[in-house]
Amino acid sequence: MASSSDATASHGSTAETAESGSAAEGSERRGRVRLRRTAVMAVPATAIAAGLVILTAQGALGVQFAISGMPFTVTATDLNGTGFEQFGNLDNMAEGSPNAGDTGGQVLVVTSAIKDATLTKLCQSVDLGGTNLRIEAGAGKDKVVASDLTTDSTELSGDAEFNKIEIGNDASTLDKAGVQGNKGVFSQQADTVHIANLRQTNYATTAGVFKLPGLHLSFSDKAC
């Protein structure tokens, strides 16, 4: 039979174990929050290191909308822009979206913004399951023209050249394209940008003006 001192020791051990478990759970939750914040801040830095850049995202028009969660591909042989910004962000799907999966309805994206842009041989396609909705424009003498162009991307590639670039800005202080990100988020901006062989995987695009000469929309078995 256990003595009263044994019972006291056992009770103390149980309390200590519970406190230890609670502390561990709290530490794990804080770790997850820090990891997400770090990921959002690190995305643009990773893009810079890889030499990959792009178009841009939510903000120039003050438009914020729930994304469908269906990614689409954008390509162009050339992009030229004045007033370029880029920073990390989170996009949100509509509540209960069937595309949410295990993401909680959030997508970590690179938000970029270009005040004025021209694109040559623009192609955009989205996989509808067995076929692609494909849009093409700017293949002739007239180029695609956009103002306050924004795109949220998860993947991007191309050969990029910047003029008067600033790297490491706080995203809330950006002033080249009229778009600002969250305070404390890593960002970059430049007076001009040129990207050859642009390729993006996007979740959202907005523009103040979007002129598409030679527009052709079709269903195709080929993506861009």
Side-chain angles (χ1 to χ4, degrees), residues 111-164:
T111 292
S112 311
I114 299 179
K115 188 64 179 175
D116 295 290
T118 60
L119 301 98
T120 304
K121 293 185 179 179
L122 174 70
C123 182
Q124 175 181 300
S125 64
V126 57
D127 186 352
L128 300 179
T131 189
N132 294 278
L133 176 60
R134 184 172 169 133
I135 297 174
E136 297 171 88
K141 64 181 181 65
D142 295 324
K143 299 178 181 179
V144 171
V145 176
S147 63
D148 294 324
L149 179 65
T150 72
T151 306
D152 289 358
S153 308
T154 54
E155 294 184 22
L156 48 106
S157 62
D159 302 312
E161 180 180 343
F162 301 95
N163 182 43
K164 294 185 179 179

Side-chain angles (χ1 to χ4, degrees), residues 28-187:
E28 184 178 353
R29 285 195 296 272
R30 289 193 296 272
R32 287 198 296 267
V33 171
R34 285 195 297 269
L35 180 60
R36 171 161 286 185
R37 290 181 61 188
T38 300
V40 172
M41 291 177 165
V43 167
T46 303
I48 295 167
L52 310 179
V53 196
I54 73 135
L55 311 182
T56 51
Q58 294 175 357
L61 306 177
V63 175
Q64 298 207 1
F65 53 85
I67 62 171
S68 69
M70 295 178 65
F72 54 96
T73 299
V74 173
T75 64
T77 56
D78 276 290
L79 177 149
N80 286 282
T82 58
F84 172 82
E85 302 172 355
Q86 190 178 67
F87 52 90
N89 207 350
L90 283 171
D91 279 355
N92 294 280
M93 301 177 202
E95 185 175 354
S97 171
N99 299 319
D102 60 358
T103 67
Q106 291 186 319
V107 180
L108 183 63
V109 295
V110 175
T111 292
S112 311
I114 299 179
K115 188 64 179 175
D116 295 290
T118 60
L119 301 98
T120 304
K121 293 185 179 179
L122 174 70
C123 182
Q124 175 181 300
S125 64
V126 57
D127 186 352
L128 300 179
T131 189
N132 294 278
L133 176 60
R134 184 172 169 133
I135 297 174
E136 297 171 88
K141 64 181 181 65
D142 295 324
K143 299 178 181 179
V144 171
V145 176
S147 63
D148 294 324
L149 179 65
T150 72
T151 306
D152 289 358
S153 308
T154 54
E155 294 184 22
L156 48 106
S157 62
D159 302 312
E161 180 180 343
F162 301 95
N163 182 43
K164 294 185 179 179
I165 190 169
E166 301 171 0
I167 301 173
N169 311 61
D170 187 293
S172 68
T173 67
L174 297 175
D175 59 9
K176 299 294 185 181
V179 181
Q180 289 79 42
N182 293 322
K183 187 173 291 186
V185 173
F186 185 98
S187 68

